Amino acid sequence: TRSMSRWNWSRKWRVAALSLAVLALTVAGCGDEPLPAPAPSKTELICKGKWEIASLPIEPALDLGGGVKLKDYTQMMQDCEKDNFYAFKADNTYTLDEGLLKCNPADAQTKPGVWSLSADGKTFTLDGEKATLILIDDNNLQFRRDSFLQNSSLTMNFRKRP
């Protein structure tokens, strides 16, 4: 009987030790899984890549007279302006690049500027002009300026340049 209880006692210890080993391997295995990367901040998204104008809708449309209404400011832009793009930097500066088509060949290819994003991430300022940030993701940047002209708002829709 004594040897039988010793065997049961040994067996219990072996089962407990084996259980602890399995548990240790399970816990250690979990540590090997990479933690998900934190979502990029709005500033990081803005500074990632180059941005070109997609559209500049005006609401309500501007009355140009004679029944003509301007619904998107890009209709007034020349092709040499439509291919311009912005590169925002983390030091709150940006570069405006004239793109392939320059309106004036004598103009510099790039022009510097300053930008900022408010601490609450709601106000985007470009060269002193404040706008409300509407959307920022990997491919889109959108902000709105109220009281643009004739009490209209101008929404600036940028897309990531390929």
Side-chain angles (χ1 to χ4, degrees):
T1 343
R2 192 165 197 205
S3 66
M4 183 64 98
S5 25
R6 194 177 286 167
W7 182 83
N8 282 338
W9 184 252
S10 283
R11 183 171 175 233
K12 288 179 186 176
W13 275 107
R14 279 186 268 171
V15 169
L18 182 60
S19 297
L20 284 173
V22 169
L23 180 63
L25 288 174
T26 302
V27 170
C30 290
D32 292 340
E33 295 176 17
L35 295 174
S41 70
K42 290 179 181 180
T43 297
E44 289 169 333
L45 288 170
I46 291 169
C47 294
K48 185 179 174 186
K50 297 172 182 165
W51 299 94
E52 62 187 5
I53 295 172
S55 64
L56 300 170
I58 301 169
E59 295 176 14
L62 289 177
D63 186 354
L64 301 179
V68 177
K69 301 256 184 197
L70 181 62
K71 295 179 182 178
D72 192 308
Y73 193 76
T74 56
Q75 296 168 316
M76 301 291 287
M77 294 173 63
Q78 300 175 44
D79 289 340
C80 59
E81 295 171 305
K82 292 178 183 178
D83 74 338
N84 295 355
F85 59 91
Y86 295 79
F88 298 98
K89 300 174 192 150
D91 67 357
N92 292 107
T93 63
Y94 74 87
T95 302
L96 171 62
D97 192 296
E98 290 284 328
L100 292 175
L101 305 174
K102 289 174 67 175
C103 296
N104 181 349
D107 284 349
Q109 183 64 38
T110 60
K111 297 173 188 167
V114 294
W115 74 279
S116 65
L117 186 63
S118 62
D120 65 4
K122 295 179 180 178
T123 303
F124 184 88
T125 304
L126 188 68
D127 293 326
E129 297 288 330
K130 294 184 184 292
T132 303
L133 183 66
I134 305 296
L135 170 73
I136 178 65
D137 62 27
D138 286 329
N139 299 305
N140 302 286
L141 170 59
Q142 183 182 66
F143 49 92
R144 184 184 66 244
R145 283 188 53 208
D146 293 320
S147 300
F148 173 61
L149 290 173
Q150 299 176 5
N151 293 322
S152 291
S153 68
L154 173 72
T155 301
M156 293 170 244
N157 296 311
F158 290 83
R159 66 178 160 242
K160 187 68 65 75
R161 188 176 168 92

